[in-house]
Amino acid sequence: MNEMLQTIMERRSTRKYNDKPVTEEQLTDILEAGRYAPTGGNCQTVHFVVITNEEIRENLRGLVQEAFLQMELSDDQYASIQNSIRLSRRGNYVFDYHAPILVVVANRKGYPNAVADSACALQNMMLEAESLGVGSCWINQLHWLDENPSIREFLEPLGIKAEETICGALALGNYDEKQPVKPRTGMQVDYIVSASEKGMLP
């Protein structure tokens, strides 16, 4: 097994972080991995806002919790959104798991590849973090709250532009204990060796 495949297979989402700081060099390398992700038509419009200030992150956590408090639960909601609402109602919701670094990833509104390009950047950063022994977790809550006025009012002075949509975020930090690697049980693979095999030819 080559080193890249091993990194991919060993990466796990980290939801508990310790106080050991991520070094400036590590953070730079992780962000560079994101910057070198592929983009549709080589547009390169993905935008990172890196939040390392604890007070700012704590204020954002409060706004996120309040935003989910305002939502109604429904049976047809995505399970993670339901969970965010329930935890917010308990008053102990921390959407970024107290990670010491939050990278907010945005792209142009109306750009058809905005989410896809941002996803490539997020994946690159997670894999680079894994290779450096840094924990990471993809955070979707700010994407779900992209049009929430309070969230936008808070993030735009930090660098998110009015003409941008929030496509996701990345929590970064060092972990106490690595999650064990578990075998994949889903994501089916079909090999098409020839068109005649699938009845695609007369």
Side-chain angles (χ1 to χ4, degrees):
M1 183 187 303
N2 68 36
E3 186 176 345
M4 175 55 73
L5 182 57
Q6 184 171 348
T7 299
I8 291 169
M9 294 178 69
E10 291 182 355
R11 188 213 63 80
R12 290 294 179 273
S13 296
T14 299
R15 295 180 173 87
K16 186 176 181 181
Y17 299 90
N18 62 30
D19 295 331
K20 181 183 175 184
V22 174
T23 69
E24 185 175 343
E25 182 179 5
Q26 287 174 324
L27 179 57
T28 298
D29 287 349
I30 292 167
L31 294 171
E32 280 297 280
R35 289 183 64 246
Y36 276 83
T39 60
N42 199 29
C43 286
Q44 301 184 37
T45 54
V46 184
H47 177 204
F48 307 140
V49 172
V50 184
I51 306 175
T52 59
N53 181 278
E54 171 60 23
E55 183 179 359
I56 291 174
R57 292 196 311 277
E58 187 60 33
N59 289 338
L60 182 56
R61 290 171 195 137
L63 289 172
V64 168
Q65 177 171 274
E66 183 62 29
F68 282 110
L69 269 174
Q70 304 304 317
M71 293 185 184
E72 296 293 331
L73 275 170
S74 64
D75 293 336
D76 60 347
Q77 281 171 325
Y78 178 44
S80 292
I81 294 178
Q82 292 178 336
N83 189 52
S84 296
I85 295 171
R86 291 191 182 101
L87 289 174
S88 293
R89 290 178 177 180
R90 295 176 193 168
N92 61 347
Y93 186 48
V94 181
F95 80 99
D96 66 342
Y97 308 105
H98 288 294
I101 299 171
L102 183 69
V103 182
V104 183
V105 181
N107 212 322
R108 290 194 329 240
K109 287 182 180 178
Y111 168 49
N113 288 335
V115 172
D117 290 358
S118 299
C120 288
L122 282 158
Q123 178 76 344
N124 268 21
M125 289 191 287
M126 288 190 294
L127 292 176
E128 178 63 14
E130 172 65 27
S131 75
L132 297 172
V134 174
S136 67
C137 187
W138 186 312
I139 304 293
N140 268 322
Q141 284 80 349
L142 296 179
H143 172 61
W144 301 333
L145 299 173
D146 180 40
E147 296 183 4
N148 181 282
S150 296
I151 300 297
R152 296 294 311 198
E153 184 179 342
F154 185 83
L155 289 176
E156 287 183 10
L158 300 180
I160 298 296
K161 301 178 179 65
E163 62 271 19
E164 290 179 330
T165 180
I166 301 166
C167 297
L170 187 66
L172 290 170
N174 284 293
Y175 45 76
D176 288 313
E177 186 175 340
K178 184 72 186 295
Q179 294 296 313
V181 176
K182 297 179 182 179
R184 286 282 176 165
T185 58
M187 299 194 183
Q188 179 179 339
V189 177
D190 285 329
Y191 289 95
I192 310 301
V193 179
S194 69
S196 59
E197 281 189 34
K198 289 291 183 178
M200 298 173 66
L201 292 178

